[in-house]
Amino acid sequence: MSKVTQDLEKYAELIISSGCNLQPGQELLLSASTDSCEFARMVTAEAYKQGARRVTVRFADEKISRLHFEHCALEVFKDFPEWQALLSNSMAEKGAAFLSIISDDPLAMVGIDQSKLVEHSRSSYEACKPFQQAIAEGKLVWCIVAAAAPQWAQHVFPQLSAEEAVDKLWQAIFSAVRVNTADPLAAWQQHRKSFDARKAWLNSQHFDRLHFHSELGTNLVVGLNEKGLWQGGGDITTSGTEFFPNMPTEEIFTTPNRLRAEGIVYSSMPLIHYGSPIKDFSLSFKNGKVVDCSAKVGQDVLEAILSIDKGATRLGECALVPWDSPIQQSGILFFNTLFDENASCHLALGKGFSDCFEGGQKLSEDELEAVGVNKSATHVDFMIGTANMSITGIKPDGHELPIFSKGNWAF
Ligand code: ZN
């Protein structure tokens, strides 16, 4: 067996064991692209090896998806196919684990009418409410991982041939998810623990707000919730199953107060939104709401995100990632949020996390909104961290403590 095949098998085992923590007799819904068919087969085999009751595989093809967006009329996207919603909702009700293998071409949807993408994300969110609700209530195991595919790989490594680029992207993925350590399962257990001390410190400080500064011009104060919680490193369902929603993961995050962000923030990395790039952009906030935005590339895409609903103009996430994180240090720009968000401090427009609020998983969306957790059909991460980012934590009495200095943890 070649080294790559061995690593792929180790990766598949890691995904099913640590990512999904699949239980014997549990069902698995696996979503993948036709570009990663072979890896999807390995993951399916591994799931059965670990006792899956049944693995349902949902394949999508990016080029066919693009054809839908090119040819279907706008109103088609307002009605989400019933059978697709039924698949997600019924599997959620049965307690299946949801695994997505992503391998997106960063430019798959360039030039597509943004309003169609907006309608699609709105209608899918509405139709899949029971599934979304199960996630918000902490009942479901869900996990997003990546597989190398030619279009994505060549966007990351344009100087290489398709085959070389795919090989190199696989190596970068293996290293980001610790597959090339002696015992990846143990490495992830250790990884989970390493977050605990920092989360505990942040949770014990009860900061009222954070002040972000960067050399790009960022000068933003983000207000936090009094009952806010910092999360990160791994997740656990309400019934006690430990899992990792994202592999890789390097972030510690919370949901800020939806009404309290003031100032301006500059992006530090390009954002690829549904296959359309947005570059060098800034957002100005007043009373938690975006009041102005400007992008050198992709202004229309940025405005489309902000137009999804009223929650899309407010913050749902604030995440801390040190500049010396392994993904940042790899020097690779992945053009994919799963990786790039783990290389940089970031914020997200849209939906907040119920588990970032004390007792939040027992509250409805409207109740969460009333206490400061943002409600939206979307959640879009964008990177703001730089080598010189400073973050100061400010207590309710005005007392200040450094959290980040020169891009890294200050404590
Ligand atoms: Zn994040």
Side-chain angles (χ1 to χ4, degrees):
M1 198 191 290
S2 75
K3 171 84 171 71
V4 178
T5 312
Q6 273 178 36
D7 284 345
L8 286 169
E9 289 198 341
K10 274 164 76 180
Y11 184 31
E13 186 193 359
L14 176 71
I15 290 168
I16 296 298
S17 301
S18 302
C20 300
N21 193 0
L22 194 77
Q23 304 297 307
Q26 193 180 13
E27 299 227 4
L28 177 71
L29 177 59
L30 167 59
S31 303
S33 153
T34 47
D35 279 333
S36 45
C37 191
E38 218 170 302
F39 185 59
R41 286 184 196 126
M42 290 175 105
V43 171
T44 303
E46 180 65 33
Y48 280 123
K49 196 170 140 194
Q50 293 193 32
R53 178 173 189 269
R54 174 169 43 203
V55 182
T56 303
V57 185
R58 169 170 58 183
F59 276 114
D61 181 85
E62 270 186 336
K63 292 196 173 69
I64 291 177
S65 299
R66 185 179 171 97
L67 288 169
H68 294 321
F69 283 104
E70 279 175 353
H71 297 284
C72 294
L74 177 64
E75 74 257 22
V76 175
F77 298 99
K78 292 184 180 168
D79 108 71
F80 192 77
E82 209 180 331
W83 66 268
Q84 275 189 36
L86 190 58
L87 177 60
S88 298
N89 294 339
S90 65
M91 296 286 277
E93 199 191 313
K94 277 192 183 160
F98 286 68
L99 172 63
S100 300
I101 301 176
I102 58 163
S103 51
D104 308 20
D105 171 5
L107 301 181
M109 296 291 165
V110 165
I112 292 294
D113 178 359
Q114 289 297 316
S115 54
K116 291 182 181 175
L117 294 159
V118 168
E119 286 307 337
H120 174 72
S121 53
R122 250 188 223 148
S123 67
S124 81
Y125 183 78
E126 273 310 311
C128 302
K129 265 278 170 68
F131 160 70
Q132 298 286 354
Q133 196 58 30
I135 288 185
E137 288 169 5
K139 289 179 180 158
L140 277 194
V141 165
W142 57 282
C143 175
I144 306 175
V145 302
Q151 309 287 334
W152 176 25
Q154 281 205 287
H155 196 83
V156 179
F157 304 112
Q159 71 284 11
L160 301 181
S161 73
E163 200 181 330
E164 288 168 333
V166 169
D167 281 350
K168 194 154 181 191
L169 184 54
W170 269 126
Q171 294 310 321
I173 293 171
F174 291 157
S175 129
V177 298
R178 299 166 159 78
V179 159
N180 48 17
T181 56
D183 184 349
L185 269 61
W188 276 84
Q189 240 167 23
Q190 185 50 44
H191 193 42
R192 181 183 276 275
K193 282 190 197 136
S194 73
F195 284 91
D196 292 347
R198 285 215 160 84
K199 279 196 294 192
W201 185 83
L202 283 165
N203 283 326
S204 72
Q205 295 301 316
H206 300 287
F207 289 117
D208 172 65
R209 55 197 187 273
L210 305 181
H211 193 166
F212 292 80
H213 263 287
S214 87
E215 66 275 28
L216 297 173
T218 292
N219 183 2
L220 181 75
V221 175
V222 174
L224 303 179
N225 290 309
E226 215 182 298
K227 290 188 169 181
L229 292 173
W230 290 90
Q231 301 285 2
D235 214 332
I236 183 163
T237 63
T238 46
S239 59
T241 306
E242 290 190 332
F243 67 102
F244 287 97
N246 289 341
M247 297 180 113
T249 188
E250 302 289 340
E251 56 171 345
I252 292 183
F253 58 93
T254 192
T255 288
N257 185 288
R258 56 185 285 276
L259 302 174
R260 296 175 58 214
E262 304 288 334
I264 188 161
V265 63
Y266 286 84
S267 69
S268 58
M269 290 164 102
L271 164 62
I272 308 293
H273 185 65
Y274 286 130
S276 305
I278 314 171
K279 292 183 185 166
D280 299 320
F281 61 98
S282 65
L283 297 168
S284 300
F285 287 87
K286 209 172 163 49
N287 298 323
K289 188 177 171 213
V290 176
V291 288
D292 194 23
C293 73
S294 150
K296 289 208 176 114
V297 174
Q299 178 81 24
D300 59 328
V301 186
L302 185 55
E303 286 171 7
I305 295 172
L306 294 167
S307 77
I308 291 177
D309 51 28
K310 69 176 170 58
T313 62
R314 297 182 181 273
L315 295 175
E317 181 186 353
C318 161
L320 309 181
V321 182
W323 192 252
D324 61 12
S325 91
I327 297 172
Q328 184 60 249
Q329 292 309 305
S330 76
I332 300 169
L333 185 55
F334 286 84
F335 299 98
N336 183 300
T337 297
L338 178 62
F339 289 82
D340 295 336
E341 76 162 340
N342 288 304
S344 166
C345 285
H346 56 272
L347 300 172
L349 291 168
K351 194 177 170 60
F353 302 119
S354 55
D355 62 341
C356 288
F357 193 90
E358 251 182 80
Q361 291 181 316
K362 293 195 179 87
L363 301 181
S364 72
E365 267 189 340
D366 291 333
E367 289 169 328
L368 283 165
E369 189 183 29
V371 295
V373 177
N374 198 30
K375 172 183 165 182
S376 173
T378 195
H379 179 95
V380 182
D381 289 81
F382 61 98
M383 314 321 150
I384 63 166
T386 62
N388 275 308
M389 170 146 273
S390 73
I391 306 171
T392 307
I394 307 168
K395 302 270 184 102
D397 64 2
H399 185 69
E400 298 188 357
L401 280 174
I403 298 175
F404 263 53
S405 96
K406 293 219 164 77
N408 289 308
W409 294 109
F411 65 90

